[in-house]
Amino acid sequence: MSTELLAPLDLAFWHLESDTHPMHLGALAVFDPVPGVAARDLLELLGARAAAIPRLRMRVRDVLLPVGGAAWFTDKEFDVHRHVKRVVLAGGDFMEEATRLAGELMERPLGRGLPPWQMYLLDSPGEGPFAVLVKLHHALADGMRAVAIGAGIFDQIASAGAGRGTVRRRTPVPPRSWLPGPYEAAGMAMGRLGDVGRALGVGASVVRASRLDLRATTALTARSSGTRRLATAELDAETVQRVRRAEGGTANDVLLAVVAGALRRWMLERGEPLPGAEPRALVPVSRRRPGKAATANRLSAYLLGLPVGEPDARERLRLVRTGMDRNKAAGPLRGAGAVAVLADQLPALAHRFGAPLAGNAARVLFDILVTSVPLPRSALSLGGCPLRAVYPMAPLARGQALAVALSTYGGRVQVGLVADGKALPDLGRLASAVREELHDLHALVPTVPAPA
């Protein structure tokens, strides 16, 4: 892997970035300590494993063709020590200090002249838990691809990869003309016509989903201060499943309803009036086919009104389930989320000059991002230290104050809340509201035993 053009959606993410709107996603992985494993050893191991992941040795450079395009090139001067660093936390509660520092580190854009990623080993002066903060530019990875890349640091995945040491020789391909033949040219022309028709249909859906009146969603919108705050919460995955079995739908429906209820609690405690219109959540959906290699971003999203005005928790869940069923029936090419599909149809030059306008339009389409990130089900470790939890972190769109990401590991649902630090200084209270909402929702539903 030496040169590879950025896919259209990846190019859009690359050009959407600014100093106050870094377009990287991340995760805070927390580990339990093992006697005899020193921080220096962990840092060396982390660097060696990151350096062995080919994608992490790539950086972005502009290209002449296509006009406005860019490509991934192998960084011949790659130095993993520029990307993997250790930070020793001050005393006090470990998770409190780790999340505070992770928020500050997430503020900083990634260097654009280097492979766009960083990892930080966060540990305490004495023995105790430690964490690894991973930052990956969204052009480098969506949620599924970030998991595939980041998993390479774990003992289990790194050991499996080390066993595949044989190099396959490629079968030589005879040279051919770069000029397409008549049948190939006709096929390309028909394909482009199909792309144009598809783009027009998707674009019409995005326009129909746009809003002109934004007065009802002030709690989740703000002028960007360039600051970031992180808060975390944990939910019992079995409790989520018990609610799902009792009420129907999916586990993701339950989690979306929990987010809606938590926002309601948080707004009321703040003394803010509930919005007259439902805040809109953008719920990303992967368009990657099962079994296909995780190369470029392949995303769309569903648009969902969060029923924060509904006082009954079970009714909120029913409304979320109905809305998601309607989205799934329509498919991922309808609504504001389809803007990601539209980006796949645009030429490189449009992304270079249109990205700033697109970034400013996010508020017209949605108010909050709520995304679920799949994780391996097996137990993972780093240097023999067992992984305790992984809190995912999503980037903030311009003009928005909050993004919510969820992942499930070890029988727990880990929730990562990323907010503009000045707009939402009380983010920790929202994290508490998430836990309280699931507890109260579970208390309302009838008990349904787990299948034998």
Side-chain angles (χ1 to χ4, degrees):
M1 185 190 300
S2 57
T3 304
E4 173 190 334
L5 282 175
L6 268 72
L9 185 54
D10 295 348
L11 192 62
F13 286 135
W14 188 249
H15 289 309
L16 274 170
E17 184 168 70
S18 69
D19 289 342
T20 55
H21 290 90
M23 284 303 298
H24 52 255
L25 42 82
L28 184 67
V30 182
F31 298 83
D32 288 322
V34 168
V37 179
R40 182 176 56 188
D41 300 328
L42 290 169
L43 186 67
E44 184 178 342
L45 181 63
L46 193 62
R49 289 183 177 170
I53 300 172
R55 175 61 68 174
L56 296 185
R57 304 176 71 92
M58 308 286 284
R59 69 183 184 93
V60 176
R61 280 183 11 207
D62 292 341
V63 294
L64 293 176
L65 293 174
V67 177
W72 294 105
F73 288 81
T74 299
D75 186 355
K76 296 180 179 179
E77 299 180 356
F78 175 78
D79 181 359
V80 74
H81 297 99
R82 294 177 176 176
H83 301 267
V84 178
K85 301 175 182 179
R86 180 191 177 195
V87 180
V88 180
L89 304 177
D93 181 80
F94 173 78
M95 279 304 301
E96 183 178 327
E97 283 296 305
T99 53
R100 180 194 61 78
L101 181 58
E104 293 178 3
L105 293 172
M106 289 296 287
E107 292 178 8
R108 306 174 186 176
L110 294 163
R112 294 178 72 88
L114 298 171
W117 65 274
Q118 289 175 339
M119 293 185 190
Y120 292 89
L121 175 65
L122 312 179
D123 67 308
S124 301
E127 294 184 359
F130 67 93
V132 175
L133 173 65
V134 180
K135 292 169 56 176
L136 299 172
H137 199 285
H138 213 332
L140 179 67
D142 57 16
M144 290 184 68
R145 193 162 46 147
V147 171
I149 292 172
I153 70 170
F154 294 114
D155 298 336
Q156 293 76 9
I157 286 83
S159 298
R164 297 191 294 268
T166 57
V167 178
R168 283 204 239 172
R169 296 181 178 274
R170 292 187 177 182
T171 304
V173 178
R176 52 164 292 176
S177 170
W178 59 271
L179 292 172
Y183 292 106
E184 187 177 355
M188 291 170 62
M190 292 299 293
R192 288 307 300 162
L193 288 174
D195 288 345
V196 170
R198 186 184 185 195
L200 289 174
V202 171
S205 296
V206 172
V207 171
R208 286 194 297 270
S210 302
R211 301 168 300 178
L212 297 178
D213 185 3
L214 303 176
R215 292 172 296 177
T217 59
T218 54
L220 299 176
T221 58
R223 289 184 178 275
S224 175
S225 66
T227 61
R228 292 293 180 268
R229 186 180 296 270
L230 171 66
T232 63
E234 280 204 11
L235 308 175
D236 179 58
E238 179 53 33
T239 300
V240 172
Q241 290 297 337
R242 282 197 291 267
V243 174
R244 178 196 63 79
R245 288 193 294 268
E247 299 295 306
T250 67
N252 199 47
D253 294 342
V254 176
L255 293 172
L256 287 167
V258 166
V259 171
L263 288 172
R264 175 185 171 84
R265 288 171 183 262
W266 172 70
M267 290 177 184
L268 291 174
E269 288 183 5
R270 277 182 142 206
E272 292 189 10
L274 295 175
E278 295 178 337
R280 285 180 165 185
L282 195 69
V283 184
V285 179
S286 175
R287 295 190 295 123
R288 189 171 287 116
R289 295 180 181 177
K292 291 289 185 180
T295 52
N297 279 289
R298 295 286 293 168
L299 291 173
S300 184
Y302 293 135
L303 186 68
L304 176 71
L306 296 177
V308 300
E310 171 55 53
D312 183 79
R314 291 182 71 185
E315 179 63 12
R316 283 196 296 270
L317 175 54
R318 188 193 68 79
L319 291 170
V320 166
R321 190 175 68 244
T322 300
M324 288 301 288
D325 287 345
R326 187 165 52 244
N327 279 330
K328 292 169 187 174
L333 302 185
R334 296 291 181 267
V339 71
V341 183
L342 181 61
D344 268 340
Q345 313 299 319
L346 298 177
L349 197 59
H351 289 301
R352 182 174 291 273
F353 292 105
L357 295 175
N360 289 322
R363 188 183 169 198
V364 177
L365 299 174
F366 63 97
D367 303 295
I368 180 174
L369 176 72
V370 184
T371 182
S372 294
V373 181
L375 292 179
R377 295 184 179 180
S378 58
L380 299 171
S381 61
L382 175 64
C385 301
L387 177 66
R388 179 197 297 179
V390 179
Y391 300 97
M393 290 171 276
L396 282 182
R398 190 165 300 172
Q400 296 177 341
L402 177 66
V404 181
L406 310 104
S407 62
T408 302
Y409 176 79
R412 309 287 291 174
V413 179
Q414 282 98 33
V415 185
L417 306 172
V418 175
D420 184 283
K422 291 188 177 179
L424 272 67
D426 55 345
L427 189 63
R429 180 61 207 123
L430 180 57
S432 298
V434 170
R435 292 186 289 267
E436 294 163 4
E437 181 63 20
L438 179 61
H439 178 272
D440 289 358
L441 178 59
H442 181 245
L444 291 174
V445 302
T447 303
V448 175

